mmCIF file of all heavy atoms in Angstrom:
data_model
loop_
_atom_site.group_PDB
_atom_site.id
_atom_site.type_symbol
_atom_site.label_atom_id
_atom_site.label_comp_id
_atom_site.label_asym_id
_atom_site.label_seq_id
_atom_site.Cartn_x
_atom_site.Cartn_y
_atom_site.Cartn_z
ATOM 1 N N THR A 7 20.462 33.588 -8.164
ATOM 2 C CA THR A 7 21.035 33.321 -9.477
ATOM 3 C C THR A 7 19.943 33.224 -10.538
ATOM 4 O O THR A 7 20.032 33.766 -11.625
ATOM 5 C CB THR A 7 21.811 31.990 -9.469
ATOM 6 O OG1 THR A 7 22.597 31.954 -8.292
ATOM 7 C CG2 THR A 7 22.668 31.877 -10.689
ATOM 8 N N ARG A 8 18.919 32.470 -10.120
ATOM 9 C CA ARG A 8 17.836 32.196 -11.058
ATOM 10 C C ARG A 8 17.185 33.507 -11.522
ATOM 11 O O ARG A 8 16.710 34.296 -10.729
ATOM 12 C CB ARG A 8 16.790 31.329 -10.334
ATOM 13 C CG ARG A 8 15.670 30.862 -11.210
ATOM 14 C CD ARG A 8 14.406 30.724 -10.420
ATOM 15 N NE ARG A 8 14.542 29.753 -9.336
ATOM 16 C CZ ARG A 8 13.575 29.572 -8.446
ATOM 17 N NH1 ARG A 8 12.456 30.269 -8.511
ATOM 18 N NH2 ARG A 8 13.719 28.704 -7.467
ATOM 19 N N LYS A 15 8.710 24.688 -13.400
ATOM 20 C CA LYS A 15 9.265 24.747 -12.059
ATOM 21 C C LYS A 15 8.100 25.034 -11.133
ATOM 22 O O LYS A 15 7.273 25.911 -11.400
ATOM 23 C CB LYS A 15 10.284 25.875 -11.990
ATOM 24 C CG LYS A 15 11.139 25.857 -10.768
ATOM 25 C CD LYS A 15 12.370 24.981 -10.989
ATOM 26 C CE LYS A 15 13.145 24.777 -9.700
ATOM 27 N NZ LYS A 15 12.361 24.065 -8.682
ATOM 28 N N ILE A 19 7.636 29.463 -2.119
ATOM 29 C CA ILE A 19 7.085 30.375 -1.131
ATOM 30 C C ILE A 19 7.399 31.831 -1.483
ATOM 31 O O ILE A 19 6.658 32.746 -1.140
ATOM 32 C CB ILE A 19 7.629 30.003 0.273
ATOM 33 C CG1 ILE A 19 6.741 30.581 1.362
ATOM 34 C CG2 ILE A 19 9.082 30.433 0.430
ATOM 35 C CD1 ILE A 19 7.107 30.069 2.737
ATOM 36 N N SER A 34 4.970 31.661 5.413
ATOM 37 C CA SER A 34 5.203 30.435 6.165
ATOM 38 C C SER A 34 4.316 30.395 7.406
ATOM 39 O O SER A 34 3.648 29.394 7.683
ATOM 40 C CB SER A 34 6.670 30.338 6.568
ATOM 41 O OG SER A 34 6.877 29.239 7.415
ATOM 42 N N TYR A 60 -0.730 27.435 -5.217
ATOM 43 C CA TYR A 60 0.532 27.041 -4.596
ATOM 44 C C TYR A 60 0.308 25.998 -3.514
ATOM 45 O O TYR A 60 -0.696 26.011 -2.820
ATOM 46 C CB TYR A 60 1.192 28.268 -3.953
ATOM 47 C CG TYR A 60 2.253 27.936 -2.935
ATOM 48 C CD1 TYR A 60 3.561 27.667 -3.338
ATOM 49 C CD2 TYR A 60 1.947 27.868 -1.579
ATOM 50 C CE1 TYR A 60 4.539 27.352 -2.404
ATOM 51 C CE2 TYR A 60 2.916 27.554 -0.638
ATOM 52 C CZ TYR A 60 4.204 27.288 -1.055
ATOM 53 O OH TYR A 60 5.161 26.970 -0.131
ATOM 54 N N ASN A 63 6.395 22.626 -0.618
ATOM 55 C CA ASN A 63 7.225 21.484 -0.948
ATOM 56 C C ASN A 63 7.508 20.674 0.319
ATOM 57 O O ASN A 63 8.168 21.120 1.247
ATOM 58 C CB ASN A 63 8.530 21.991 -1.541
ATOM 59 C CG ASN A 63 9.457 20.856 -1.897
ATOM 60 O OD1 ASN A 63 9.532 19.869 -1.190
ATOM 61 N ND2 ASN A 63 10.156 21.003 -3.003
ATOM 62 N N ARG A 67 10.133 21.226 3.639
ATOM 63 C CA ARG A 67 9.539 21.307 4.965
ATOM 64 C C ARG A 67 10.113 20.261 5.897
ATOM 65 O O ARG A 67 10.473 20.528 7.039
ATOM 66 C CB ARG A 67 8.048 21.019 4.845
ATOM 67 C CG ARG A 67 7.223 22.240 4.829
ATOM 68 C CD ARG A 67 5.798 21.823 4.696
ATOM 69 N NE ARG A 67 4.946 22.732 5.411
ATOM 70 C CZ ARG A 67 3.636 22.738 5.312
ATOM 71 N NH1 ARG A 67 3.039 21.854 4.525
ATOM 72 N NH2 ARG A 67 2.927 23.605 5.979
ATOM 73 P P DA C 6 29.256 31.296 -1.288
ATOM 74 O OP1 DA C 6 29.939 32.594 -1.383
ATOM 75 O OP2 DA C 6 28.696 30.836 0.013
ATOM 76 O "O5'" DA C 6 28.119 31.245 -2.396
ATOM 77 C "C5'" DA C 6 28.462 30.913 -3.754
ATOM 78 C "C4'" DA C 6 27.299 30.174 -4.368
ATOM 79 O "O4'" DA C 6 27.378 28.776 -4.003
ATOM 80 C "C3'" DA C 6 25.929 30.655 -3.878
ATOM 81 O "O3'" DA C 6 25.035 30.652 -4.971
ATOM 82 C "C2'" DA C 6 25.552 29.632 -2.810
ATOM 83 C "C1'" DA C 6 26.144 28.372 -3.412
ATOM 84 N N9 DA C 6 26.437 27.299 -2.468
ATOM 85 C C8 DA C 6 26.917 27.401 -1.194
ATOM 86 N N7 DA C 6 27.075 26.232 -0.599
ATOM 87 C C5 DA C 6 26.676 25.315 -1.565
ATOM 88 C C6 DA C 6 26.616 23.909 -1.559
ATOM 89 N N6 DA C 6 26.963 23.167 -0.524
ATOM 90 N N1 DA C 6 26.162 23.309 -2.683
ATOM 91 C C2 DA C 6 25.819 24.058 -3.718
ATOM 92 N N3 DA C 6 25.838 25.391 -3.850
ATOM 93 C C4 DA C 6 26.276 25.953 -2.717
ATOM 94 P P DG C 7 23.677 31.398 -4.903
ATOM 95 O OP1 DG C 7 23.326 31.881 -6.260
ATOM 96 O OP2 DG C 7 23.710 32.310 -3.736
ATOM 97 O "O5'" DG C 7 22.698 30.190 -4.551
ATOM 98 C "C5'" DG C 7 22.492 29.193 -5.545
ATOM 99 C "C4'" DG C 7 21.628 28.119 -4.936
ATOM 100 O "O4'" DG C 7 22.396 27.338 -4.004
ATOM 101 C "C3'" DG C 7 20.437 28.662 -4.112
ATOM 102 O "O3'" DG C 7 19.326 27.820 -4.316
ATOM 103 C "C2'" DG C 7 20.922 28.521 -2.694
ATOM 104 C "C1'" DG C 7 21.618 27.183 -2.845
ATOM 105 N N9 DG C 7 22.437 26.791 -1.716
ATOM 106 C C8 DG C 7 23.033 27.582 -0.759
ATOM 107 N N7 DG C 7 23.669 26.891 0.149
ATOM 108 C C5 DG C 7 23.493 25.556 -0.239
ATOM 109 C C6 DG C 7 23.948 24.353 0.350
ATOM 110 O O6 DG C 7 24.622 24.223 1.359
ATOM 111 N N1 DG C 7 23.531 23.241 -0.375
ATOM 112 C C2 DG C 7 22.777 23.285 -1.525
ATOM 113 N N2 DG C 7 22.468 22.115 -2.082
ATOM 114 N N3 DG C 7 22.341 24.398 -2.094
ATOM 115 C C4 DG C 7 22.737 25.494 -1.396
ATOM 116 P P DC C 8 18.043 28.285 -4.944
ATOM 117 O OP1 DC C 8 18.253 28.751 -6.320
ATOM 118 O OP2 DC C 8 17.457 29.160 -3.920
ATOM 119 O "O5'" DC C 8 17.138 26.962 -4.984
ATOM 120 C "C5'" DC C 8 17.400 25.904 -5.884
ATOM 121 C "C4'" DC C 8 16.882 24.624 -5.241
ATOM 122 O "O4'" DC C 8 17.883 24.115 -4.360
ATOM 123 C "C3'" DC C 8 15.651 24.855 -4.376
ATOM 124 O "O3'" DC C 8 14.503 24.520 -5.155
ATOM 125 C "C2'" DC C 8 15.815 23.878 -3.222
ATOM 126 C "C1'" DC C 8 17.292 23.477 -3.253
ATOM 127 N N1 DC C 8 18.113 23.899 -2.075
ATOM 128 C C2 DC C 8 18.818 22.942 -1.346
ATOM 129 O O2 DC C 8 18.731 21.765 -1.683
ATOM 130 N N3 DC C 8 19.583 23.342 -0.297
ATOM 131 C C4 DC C 8 19.658 24.639 0.012
ATOM 132 N N4 DC C 8 20.425 24.975 1.048
ATOM 133 C C5 DC C 8 18.952 25.631 -0.720
ATOM 134 C C6 DC C 8 18.192 25.222 -1.743
ATOM 135 P P DG C 9 13.397 25.625 -5.420
ATOM 136 O OP1 DG C 9 12.579 25.104 -6.509
ATOM 137 O OP2 DG C 9 14.020 26.958 -5.502
ATOM 138 O "O5'" DG C 9 12.545 25.593 -4.080
ATOM 139 C "C5'" DG C 9 11.848 24.405 -3.730
ATOM 140 C "C4'" DG C 9 11.445 24.511 -2.286
ATOM 141 O "O4'" DG C 9 12.630 24.632 -1.481
ATOM 142 C "C3'" DG C 9 10.593 25.734 -1.965
ATOM 143 O "O3'" DG C 9 9.435 25.263 -1.285
ATOM 144 C "C2'" DG C 9 11.479 26.603 -1.087
ATOM 145 C "C1'" DG C 9 12.394 25.562 -0.452
ATOM 146 N N9 DG C 9 13.695 26.068 -0.062
ATOM 147 C C8 DG C 9 14.442 27.030 -0.687
ATOM 148 N N7 DG C 9 15.588 27.256 -0.101
ATOM 149 C C5 DG C 9 15.604 26.386 0.985
ATOM 150 C C6 DG C 9 16.582 26.176 1.984
ATOM 151 O O6 DG C 9 17.680 26.736 2.113
ATOM 152 N N1 DG C 9 16.193 25.202 2.900
ATOM 153 C C2 DG C 9 14.998 24.522 2.841
ATOM 154 N N2 DG C 9 14.795 23.622 3.800
ATOM 155 N N3 DG C 9 14.076 24.705 1.916
ATOM 156 C C4 DG C 9 14.441 25.649 1.018
ATOM 157 P P DC C 10 8.381 26.198 -0.609
ATOM 158 O OP1 DC C 10 7.090 25.513 -0.705
ATOM 159 O OP2 DC C 10 8.530 27.575 -1.092
ATOM 160 O "O5'" DC C 10 8.828 26.151 0.911
ATOM 161 C "C5'" DC C 10 8.635 24.948 1.649
ATOM 162 C "C4'" DC C 10 9.469 24.984 2.890
ATOM 163 O "O4'" DC C 10 10.755 25.524 2.565
ATOM 164 C "C3'" DC C 10 8.958 25.893 3.987
ATOM 165 O "O3'" DC C 10 8.144 25.116 4.856
ATOM 166 C "C2'" DC C 10 10.215 26.370 4.689
ATOM 167 C "C1'" DC C 10 11.350 25.955 3.766
ATOM 168 N N1 DC C 10 12.306 27.024 3.429
ATOM 169 C C2 DC C 10 13.455 27.164 4.192
ATOM 170 O O2 DC C 10 13.623 26.408 5.158
ATOM 171 N N3 DC C 10 14.358 28.122 3.866
ATOM 172 C C4 DC C 10 14.146 28.908 2.812
ATOM 173 N N4 DC C 10 15.072 29.833 2.520
ATOM 174 C C5 DC C 10 12.976 28.801 2.014
ATOM 175 C C6 DC C 10 12.081 27.852 2.356
ATOM 176 P P DT C 11 7.339 25.864 6.014
ATOM 177 O OP1 DT C 11 6.291 24.932 6.428
ATOM 178 O OP2 DT C 11 7.017 27.240 5.613
ATOM 179 O "O5'" DT C 11 8.440 25.952 7.169
ATOM 180 C "C5'" DT C 11 8.889 24.754 7.764
ATOM 181 C "C4'" DT C 11 9.859 25.062 8.884
ATOM 182 O "O4'" DT C 11 10.945 25.880 8.386
ATOM 183 C "C3'" DT C 11 9.270 25.817 10.064
ATOM 184 O "O3'" DT C 11 9.863 25.241 11.215
ATOM 185 C "C2'" DT C 11 9.740 27.258 9.849
ATOM 186 C "C1'" DT C 11 11.102 27.021 9.197
ATOM 187 N N1 DT C 11 11.625 28.071 8.275
ATOM 188 C C2 DT C 11 12.938 28.468 8.410
ATOM 189 O O2 DT C 11 13.685 28.032 9.268
ATOM 190 N N3 DT C 11 13.351 29.407 7.495
ATOM 191 C C4 DT C 11 12.602 29.962 6.477
ATOM 192 O O4 DT C 11 13.089 30.782 5.715
ATOM 193 C C5 DT C 11 11.234 29.500 6.387
ATOM 194 C C7 DT C 11 10.339 30.048 5.326
ATOM 195 C C6 DT C 11 10.805 28.585 7.286
ATOM 196 P P DA C 12 9.319 25.555 12.655
ATOM 197 O OP1 DA C 12 9.343 24.296 13.426
ATOM 198 O OP2 DA C 12 8.086 26.352 12.529
ATOM 199 O "O5'" DA C 12 10.481 26.485 13.213
ATOM 200 C "C5'" DA C 12 11.797 25.975 13.247
ATOM 201 C "C4'" DA C 12 12.699 27.044 13.795
ATOM 202 O "O4'" DA C 12 12.908 28.050 12.777
ATOM 203 C "C3'" DA C 12 12.133 27.804 14.991
ATOM 204 O "O3'" DA C 12 13.231 28.242 15.763
ATOM 205 C "C2'" DA C 12 11.428 28.977 14.332
ATOM 206 C "C1'" DA C 12 12.447 29.306 13.258
ATOM 207 N N9 DA C 12 11.917 30.015 12.112
ATOM 208 C C8 DA C 12 10.632 30.055 11.647
ATOM 209 N N7 DA C 12 10.483 30.777 10.571
ATOM 210 C C5 DA C 12 11.751 31.240 10.302
ATOM 211 C C6 DA C 12 12.263 32.061 9.295
ATOM 212 N N6 DA C 12 11.522 32.566 8.319
ATOM 213 N N1 DA C 12 13.592 32.324 9.321
ATOM 214 C C2 DA C 12 14.344 31.804 10.291
ATOM 215 N N3 DA C 12 13.969 31.014 11.293
ATOM 216 C C4 DA C 12 12.654 30.779 11.237
ATOM 217 P P DA C 13 13.104 28.170 17.344
ATOM 218 O OP1 DA C 13 14.436 27.674 17.741
ATOM 219 O OP2 DA C 13 11.854 27.452 17.662
ATOM 220 O "O5'" DA C 13 12.952 29.578 18.025
ATOM 221 C "C5'" DA C 13 13.459 30.714 17.553
ATOM 222 C "C4'" DA C 13 14.963 30.769 17.445
ATOM 223 O "O4'" DA C 13 15.245 30.947 16.034
ATOM 224 C "C3'" DA C 13 15.518 31.985 18.137
ATOM 225 O "O3'" DA C 13 16.890 31.870 18.487
ATOM 226 C "C2'" DA C 13 15.303 33.084 17.110
ATOM 227 C "C1'" DA C 13 15.310 32.333 15.774
ATOM 228 N N9 DA C 13 14.115 32.667 14.974
ATOM 229 C C8 DA C 13 12.820 32.242 15.163
ATOM 230 N N7 DA C 13 11.981 32.724 14.268
ATOM 231 C C5 DA C 13 12.777 33.516 13.449
ATOM 232 C C6 DA C 13 12.481 34.306 12.326
ATOM 233 N N6 DA C 13 11.251 34.411 11.820
ATOM 234 N N1 DA C 13 13.489 34.978 11.758
ATOM 235 C C2 DA C 13 14.732 34.855 12.269
ATOM 236 N N3 DA C 13 15.147 34.142 13.315
ATOM 237 C C4 DA C 13 14.094 33.495 13.865
ATOM 238 P P DC C 14 17.504 32.888 19.549
ATOM 239 O OP1 DC C 14 18.898 32.495 19.821
ATOM 240 O OP2 DC C 14 16.509 32.966 20.631
ATOM 241 O "O5'" DC C 14 17.514 34.294 18.779
ATOM 242 C "C5'" DC C 14 18.352 34.450 17.628
ATOM 243 C "C4'" DC C 14 18.019 35.767 16.969
ATOM 244 O "O4'" DC C 14 16.789 35.657 16.247
ATOM 245 C "C3'" DC C 14 17.839 36.927 17.959
ATOM 246 O "O3'" DC C 14 18.827 37.909 17.669
ATOM 247 C "C2'" DC C 14 16.428 37.443 17.700
ATOM 248 C "C1'" DC C 14 16.146 36.914 16.296
ATOM 249 N N1 DC C 14 14.710 36.684 16.000
ATOM 250 C C2 DC C 14 14.166 37.177 14.804
ATOM 251 O O2 DC C 14 14.905 37.785 14.021
ATOM 252 N N3 DC C 14 12.849 36.977 14.544
ATOM 253 C C4 DC C 14 12.091 36.308 15.420
ATOM 254 N N4 DC C 14 10.813 36.128 15.116
ATOM 255 C C5 DC C 14 12.622 35.808 16.646
ATOM 256 C C6 DC C 14 13.915 36.010 16.903
#
Side-chain angles (χ1 to χ4, degrees):
Chain A
T7 315
R8 185 211 300 174
K15 193 88 189 63
I19 200 171
S34 173
Y60 162 84
N63 179 322
R67 261 179 147 169

